[in-house]
Amino acid sequence: MSDEHRDSHYHDPFHHGSYPTSATGFSFSLNNSSLSLSNPSSHDDPQVFDSPYRSFTECLQGSSDYNTLALAFGLSPPPSEPFSSVKVEQNPVAEGGGETPVTPNSSVSSSSSEAGGDEGKKDRQQQEFGNGGESSKKVNKSKKKSEKREREPRFAFMTKSEVDHLEDGYRWRKYGQKAVKNSPFPRSYYRCTTQKCTVKKRVERSFQDPSVVITTYEGQHSHPIPATLRGNIGGMLPPSMLTTVVPPMGGTSFPQEFLGQMPSMYNQYGGVSSFYPQSSNTLTPPSQQLLLPDYGLLQDMVPSMIFKQEP
DNA sequence: CGGCTTTGACCCGCGC
DNA sequence: GCGCGGGTCAAAGCCG
């Protein structure tokens, strides 16, 4: 069977054209690359914006918090703001010699999947109490078919990095690892360790370009970034991380959850990640555009445009 | 000792 | 209905 789209139930909006990129897309620009994002939850998951945190749009609107948020992602205020120069300085650590663990100009792309898939595996957990699993690993069978599963909005990032697990300020616990079909690299599953926080993330490495790590966040953090940061998230990024944010087309609000989940532009090696667009109308293919092959899940998570095939 | 990773088993959804 | 593969659980082991 065709395994390429096994994950189709995730309902990638990009694949279905549920909404125009121009309406929900969001693009940043770092160096000569930019990032496009779509807001998957705008129509399906109102609760996404019903959190104590403000939407990105709100942040953009003269909020003093914006700078902090922008900094947290190595972003500078949008052009509408006083300063708008694009400037991503190489990380001193990463520059340490011609040979760096992570290319400063690493690429990151992102996309999201629509909410509304399945996410009901928690049912199992709850019912776990009832039967004492004992030796036999009976994970429980009773399932609520009637209840439609809900999938949290997801955002995928392609990051050029040597390390699989990028530091993003949150604490994660690995709860699983699976071999990825057609890929020698396994996929790791992480869950936010903060109580009541159901955010998960998957990390896998592109099998064609091992230097590329695909991180997929699912859900939104219901808590601030832990203070125990090893990275630069949390408004502690150096000024050199300032870059430009290209305002969203159509004035779509930026998924706020993304703010708290986007991997640090600084990875553990200090490499600076950059983005390139997935939207055709913002297309500015960086020289280092990633060329990924037909890659099942990835294609579901990331707009197919990103996976441009070499002719 | 607590927190985390590892890993095999299990569940679930989908395509055939 | 069956098989496959993704996603998750949880026991066991590891580590600081």
Side-chain angles (χ1 to χ4, degrees), chain A residues 221-287:
Chain A
H221 290 284
S222 57
H223 57 93
I225 297 175
T228 57
L229 300 178
R230 282 182 293 177
N232 287 299
I233 280 291
M236 299 198 294
L237 288 173
S240 62
M241 286 299 290
L242 287 178
T243 59
T244 287
V245 170
V246 175
M249 294 171 289
T252 305
S253 58
F254 190 98
Q256 63 86 21
E257 64 270 32
F258 171 72
L259 291 173
Q261 297 160 180
M262 188 171 172
S264 171
M265 299 295 179
Y266 261 166
N267 56 33
Q268 291 174 342
Y269 286 162
V272 179
S273 302
S274 58
F275 305 91
Y276 63 82
Q278 55 84 19
S279 167
S280 56
N281 38 3
T282 57
L283 204 56
T284 320
S287 55

Side-chain angles (χ1 to χ4, degrees), chain A residues 70 87 144 186 243:
Chain A
K87 187 67 177 177
K144 305 172 184 177
T243 59

Side-chain angles (χ1 to χ4, degrees), chain A residues 8-306:
Chain A
S8 58
H9 51 281
Y10 286 141
H11 230 68
D12 184 350
F14 289 106
H15 283 179
H16 298 76
S18 314
Y19 45 81
T21 310
S22 60
T24 57
F26 203 93
S27 64
F28 292 87
S29 153
L30 287 96
N31 273 338
N32 36 16
S33 302
S34 66
L35 154 71
S36 278
L37 290 169
S38 75
N39 179 0
S41 42
S42 55
H43 52 275
D44 235 30
D45 195 1
Q47 78 158 10
V48 163
F49 296 105
D50 198 25
S51 80
Y53 304 103
R54 287 168 295 179
S55 71
F56 190 72
T57 301
E58 292 175 65
C59 294
L60 289 175
Q61 294 169 349
S63 164
S64 57
D65 287 356
Y66 174 76
N67 289 336
T68 301
L69 289 165
L71 279 172
F73 295 96
L75 305 170
S76 69
S80 58
E81 295 292 318
F83 37 111
S84 62
S85 64
V86 180
K87 187 67 177 177
V88 177
E89 291 187 14
Q90 313 280 340
N91 182 292
V93 175
E95 279 188 316
E99 198 69 46
T100 59
V102 176
T103 53
N105 281 333
S106 58
S107 297
V108 173
S109 76
S110 81
S111 76
S112 60
S113 292
E114 180 174 349
D118 61 326
E119 168 50 67
K121 306 233 162 140
K122 287 163 197 162
D123 294 345
R124 266 173 24 195
Q125 286 184 38
Q126 297 181 346
Q127 295 166 6
E128 212 90 28
F129 296 84
N131 60 1
E134 298 282 320
S135 54
S136 59
K137 262 189 158 179
K138 207 175 295 179
V139 190
N140 198 319
K141 295 182 179 170
S142 52
K143 47 229 157 196
K144 305 172 184 177
K145 288 183 180 177
S146 53
E147 289 186 17
K148 175 73 176 177
R149 298 193 168 193
E150 291 180 20
R151 177 163 286 283
E152 303 286 336
R154 307 195 308 178
F155 300 93
F157 304 91
M158 291 166 60
T159 310
K160 209 160 191 174
S161 171
E162 294 288 319
V163 293
D164 289 344
H165 196 184
L166 298 176
E167 200 60 51
D168 61 4
Y170 288 94
R171 295 189 58 187
W172 303 91
R173 168 181 299 194
K174 189 174 185 177
Y175 67 89
Q177 177 173 306
K178 290 281 289 188
V180 179
K181 198 170 186 300
N182 296 325
S183 173
F185 306 104
R187 175 181 300 144
S188 297
Y189 299 88
Y190 296 89
R191 177 174 294 147
C192 183
T193 60
T194 302
Q195 272 193 333
K196 296 181 181 177
C197 183
T198 60
V199 177
K200 288 174 254 183
K201 84 172 178 183
R202 278 177 305 195
V203 177
E204 62 185 285
R205 195 169 280 279
S206 166
F207 78 92
Q208 189 173 63
D209 187 349
S211 65
V212 174
V213 174
I214 293 91
T215 304
T216 305
Y217 290 85
E218 181 175 327
Q220 59 177 323
H221 290 284
S222 57
H223 57 93
I225 297 175
T228 57
L229 300 178
R230 282 182 293 177
N232 287 299
I233 280 291
M236 299 198 294
L237 288 173
S240 62
M241 286 299 290
L242 287 178
T243 59
T244 287
V245 170
V246 175
M249 294 171 289
T252 305
S253 58
F254 190 98
Q256 63 86 21
E257 64 270 32
F258 171 72
L259 291 173
Q261 297 160 180
M262 188 171 172
S264 171
M265 299 295 179
Y266 261 166
N267 56 33
Q268 291 174 342
Y269 286 162
V272 179
S273 302
S274 58
F275 305 91
Y276 63 82
Q278 55 84 19
S279 167
S280 56
N281 38 3
T282 57
L283 204 56
T284 320
S287 55
Q288 57 194 324
Q289 177 161 3
L290 302 177
L291 298 176
L292 296 181
D294 187 35
Y295 191 22
L297 177 60
L298 292 183
Q299 281 202 324
D300 282 335
M301 301 188 298
V302 182
S304 53
M305 277 184 281
I306 288 178

